[in-house]
Amino acid sequence: MAEYPPECQDGLRRVLAMGDSWTFDRIIVLTSSTATVEKHIKLRNRPYEVAENMVRRFRLIDAAFRQLATREPNAIVIDRDGMEFHERSGLDAIVQAAALPKYPEIPYRDLPC
């Protein structure tokens, strides 16, 4: 919310209120350091993205999620620096840190193409 202008925030709050009745066993907040985010933004090298502005926005969003996590007794904040979800070890680390049940193995199979 912090990055949206004040005139937009009432509408956003109405949308967010839809989730007020939801209950979860746990809430997982994944975060990364500002240095990691800045590195990845600069690696993308997109001319329409100003890295400093993107990092500023990341800091606002990250701070808001961390603050919200303190209000939830079942929230788990995980610093995911160095963890990649497309690698099994990264996914396993998140599952373990969040005390989630082991996910079922789904074997790969060759498809005729």
Side-chain angles (χ1 to χ4, degrees):
M1 293 272 296
E3 67 179 340
Y4 292 97
E7 61 271 15
C8 297
Q9 293 186 8
D10 284 340
L12 289 169
R13 282 189 181 90
R14 284 192 299 276
V15 171
L16 291 172
M18 290 181 209
D20 285 347
S21 62
W22 297 350
T23 55
F24 304 97
D25 293 344
R26 63 190 66 94
I27 298 167
I28 302 167
V29 179
L30 300 176
T31 187
S32 292
S33 70
T34 302
T36 299
V37 170
E38 186 172 11
K39 178 184 84 171
H40 286 286
I41 289 170
K42 288 181 177 177
L43 283 173
R44 289 194 313 211
N45 195 25
R46 296 180 179 162
Y48 57 87
E49 289 180 342
V50 178
E52 292 77 23
N53 189 44
M54 295 290 290
V55 172
R56 179 190 65 78
R57 291 178 63 204
F58 168 78
R59 285 181 180 152
L60 287 171
I61 293 166
D62 185 66
F65 274 111
R66 287 175 183 264
Q67 180 184 12
L68 288 170
T70 63
R71 298 182 196 171
E72 293 295 327
N74 57 350
I76 302 161
V77 178
I78 300 172
D79 182 350
R80 62 160 296 222
D81 276 351
M83 293 182 195
E84 296 295 336
F85 297 128
H86 60 271
E87 296 174 5
R88 180 177 291 264
S89 61
L91 180 59
D92 288 343
I94 297 295
V95 168
Q96 183 178 1
L100 295 171
K102 184 94 171 111
Y103 51 87
E105 291 291 328
I106 301 173
Y108 285 102
R109 60 188 170 117
D110 290 328
L111 298 175
C113 297

